[in-house]
Amino acid sequence: MAIDGLIIVENTGRPIVQSGFRSTSPSYPLLHIDALNNALAKSPHSVDPVLYVTPHNTSSATACCHVQCGDIRILCPVSGDVDPLFAFAFIHTFIDILNEYFGNVSATTLKENFDVVYQLLEETLDSGGHPLTTSSNALRDIVLPPSLLNKLLSVAGANITSTINSGSGLGSGPFSSPIPWRKAGIRYASNEIYFDMVEELRAVVNRHGTPLSSHVQGKIETNCKLSGTPDCQLSFANPQILTDCAFHPCVRLKRWKESKVLSFVPPDGRFVLAEYRYAPGSTAAAARFVNTPAPTAPPLNLTRDNVPVPFTIKSAVDLEDNGGSFDITLTSRLTTRDIEHLIAEMHLGEGAGGIKCVTARGGAADRYGRGVEGVGAAWSFDSDKKILRWEIPVVSPSSSWSLRGSFTTSVQTPRPSHALQIRFEIQSHTFSALKIDQLKVTGEGYKPYKGVRGRSVGNVEWRW
């Protein structure tokens, strides 16, 4: 399985850089750029991630897979019997590589470091469309990250790559380490390793508060700053809750299958150690929340794979000929944690305007529309997208918040979206309650500092 190449374009639709496309005609990448620009011109806000491209001097049609990243878009043409998911996986891997090299990926950054970006394209994808080196540790031995010193030495004619490799005494240059994902001879003054367990809840809830679908995807992000070649063993107190696991190549799969222990020699720096899915039983999961549904709502009927949403919403929306009114109340179901950066959005439909809203905590507000405790909840309206946004910086445990207001519309019958799109974060919390039991580091003489923390994010569609 192979892809045809990679193209990076800016917001104006003009290409910045592309891979060689040696096996195709010169017009081949231009056809895919035109297909994307035409699709964006017809529907700027909703473009299919896989676009059909009409054949031109070719035996069959092709497809264009594309991903938005800041103010650039990365295109990956595919043809023949190629799974688009393969193309998307490579695009996201290449975006991670760009983030490692440049920090903030933008059109300006890529233009200023055109030589580095083109070298990365050549090293990560061969002429046949097969991925080559995608490990950032190995790439840094071949393509040096941009810096002022490297640019000055390059202008002066110094071969900085050969100088670094020959002076290290670790071999003949790139790939001198016996472990592909880890450099040789790494040294740190302070040896540390950190684990971030990040879990994302995606759910759809009906108007009665019953989850129609809810699932949690998690990943263990690791930041390793250990000297030498340490051998790590990470064990969990409750590994049975992890399903559909995917691991970094450094993990020894046989050890995981036998004893549910992650045994690995870690890469240097940041990497994702594991990804997993959490599928709890309804009783164990529901016990983690305080169930406070509205009196008129039916009891929650969670299936085995459903995860409880950490808040409830009661909404009342009245639509009239030229507008409507709404009263939305959000109540936290958590008893010990704050819900942070909560944003609820509702599309009010074509022609909506004349928005008047009052936000409050506990259902009460002063004459200025502020909560009785002076907490900074706020609302705003995007007149271009017709989206009403309600932002609450911190939803304290078991607290209740309300948004009341009205709107008008220039069309005869208002047609708002019958759902709220809600995003939020919860610090020091995981939906699965995954717990790391211990981490053993062998093979080196030091005792490293170890840090573990959890974080939850959510994306919920609550229908009314």
Side-chain angles (χ1 to χ4, degrees):
M1 184 177 292
I3 58 181
D4 295 337
L6 214 62
I7 309 169
I8 303 178
V9 300
E10 53 187 347
N11 274 343
T12 59
R14 297 181 60 184
I16 301 175
V17 62
Q18 68 184 40
S19 56
F21 290 96
R22 298 182 181 88
S23 59
T24 59
S25 64
S27 63
Y28 185 76
L30 298 178
L31 290 174
H32 295 79
I33 296 174
D34 289 342
L36 175 65
N37 291 336
N38 293 335
L40 290 173
K42 294 178 181 178
S43 179
H45 302 297
S46 58
V47 180
D48 195 321
V50 181
L51 300 175
Y52 172 83
V53 180
T54 306
H56 178 71
N57 294 331
T58 57
S59 58
S60 60
T62 58
C64 177
C65 305
H66 59 95
V67 173
Q68 181 76 35
C69 178
D71 62 347
I72 64 171
R73 196 179 292 266
I74 301 182
L75 287 62
C76 184
V78 295
S79 58
D81 188 16
V82 177
D83 191 341
L85 291 178
F86 178 72
F88 285 117
F90 182 77
I91 292 175
H92 286 290
T93 299
F94 192 74
I95 291 175
D96 292 338
I97 293 172
L98 293 179
N99 286 324
E100 288 248 357
Y101 267 75
F102 307 113
N104 182 25
V105 178
S106 64
T108 303
T109 302
L110 298 188
K111 290 177 181 178
E112 292 176 348
N113 300 278
F114 176 86
D115 54 339
V116 177
V117 177
Y118 193 81
Q119 289 180 69
L120 291 174
L121 280 174
E122 292 296 304
E123 295 297 339
T124 55
L125 194 67
D126 67 5
S127 59
H130 299 90
L132 290 174
T133 307
T134 56
S135 172
S136 59
N137 284 284
L139 280 172
R140 286 175 182 272
D141 285 339
I142 311 170
V143 183
L144 289 179
S147 67
L148 180 59
L149 176 61
N150 292 344
K151 291 182 179 180
L152 291 175
L153 291 174
S154 177
V155 171
N159 190 344
I160 183 65
T161 304
S162 61
T163 302
I164 291 177
N165 292 325
S166 61
S168 60
L170 300 173
S172 59
F175 306 110
S176 59
S177 172
I179 303 176
W181 54 83
R182 186 172 180 85
K183 296 179 181 180
I186 298 175
R187 290 290 180 266
Y188 286 101
S190 177
N191 293 285
E192 305 168 336
I193 185 168
Y194 300 95
F195 298 95
D196 283 330
M197 296 181 293
V198 182
E199 295 186 348
E200 180 181 10
L201 169 68
R202 289 186 174 270
V204 177
V205 185
N206 67 10
R207 62 184 302 174
H208 300 297
T210 303
L212 303 179
S213 69
S214 63
H215 61 275
V216 170
Q217 298 285 343
K219 58 183 177 180
I220 303 176
E221 298 178 346
T222 308
N223 188 6
C224 177
K225 299 179 180 180
L226 300 179
S227 303
T229 309
D231 199 317
C232 302
Q233 295 183 17
L234 184 67
S235 59
F236 303 94
N238 48 348
Q240 69 279 0
I241 66 175
L242 303 181
T243 57
D244 298 335
C245 297
F247 301 108
H248 189 276
C250 68
V251 176
R252 301 180 179 99
L253 295 180
K254 184 178 179 180
R255 181 69 183 278
W256 170 258
K257 292 178 181 178
E258 292 176 350
S259 58
K260 298 300 180 182
V261 173
L262 293 182
S263 176
F264 57 97
V265 175
D268 182 47
R270 298 181 181 274
F271 66 99
V272 177
L273 178 63
E275 298 181 66
Y276 59 89
R277 182 174 64 88
Y278 170 51
S282 59
T283 304
R288 301 191 63 221
F289 299 99
V290 175
N291 192 359
T292 56
T296 57
L300 293 179
N301 183 21
L302 299 176
T303 64
R304 187 177 186 276
D305 288 340
N306 276 348
V307 179
V309 178
F311 54 82
T312 60
I313 288 182
K314 182 180 179 181
S315 60
V317 181
D318 296 324
L319 301 179
E320 300 175 355
D321 291 340
N322 296 314
S325 61
F326 49 85
D327 188 350
I328 304 171
T329 302
L330 182 145
T331 303
S332 172
R333 300 174 66 187
L334 296 178
T335 58
T336 58
R337 301 288 183 188
D338 293 333
I339 301 176
E340 301 179 1
H341 308 298
L342 188 142
I343 299 175
E345 295 181 341
M346 181 170 64
H347 187 268
L348 297 182
E350 189 67 27
I355 311 297
K356 297 180 180 178
C357 291
V358 173
T359 63
R361 174 171 177 171
D366 61 17
R367 60 178 180 173
Y368 300 106
R370 297 175 300 192
V372 294
E373 296 185 15
V375 183
W379 67 273
S380 61
F381 179 69
D382 189 330
S383 58
D384 294 330
K385 298 181 180 180
K386 307 301 180 183
I387 292 178
L388 175 65
R389 176 177 296 182
W390 181 24
E391 300 183 29
I392 308 176
V394 179
V395 180
S396 54
S398 303
S399 63
S400 179
W401 301 76
S402 66
L403 175 69
R404 300 190 299 270
S406 62
F407 67 97
T408 60
T409 179
S410 59
V411 299
Q412 185 174 1
T413 303
R415 299 191 63 182
S417 173
H418 283 243
L420 292 167
Q421 302 293 336
I422 304 165
R423 304 187 302 273
F424 62 90
E425 297 180 6
I426 307 174
Q427 302 295 334
S428 303
H429 171 275
T430 55
F431 294 103
S432 65
L434 179 64
K435 184 179 180 181
I436 292 179
D437 187 20
Q438 64 176 347
L439 173 67
K440 293 182 179 179
V441 179
T442 58
E444 298 292 338
Y446 54 79
K447 185 177 181 181
Y449 175 81
K450 297 161 283 189
V452 179
R453 64 182 179 184
R455 180 169 64 92
S456 297
V457 297
N459 195 327
V460 178
E461 177 181 301
W462 198 291
R463 299 173 180 175
W464 53 269

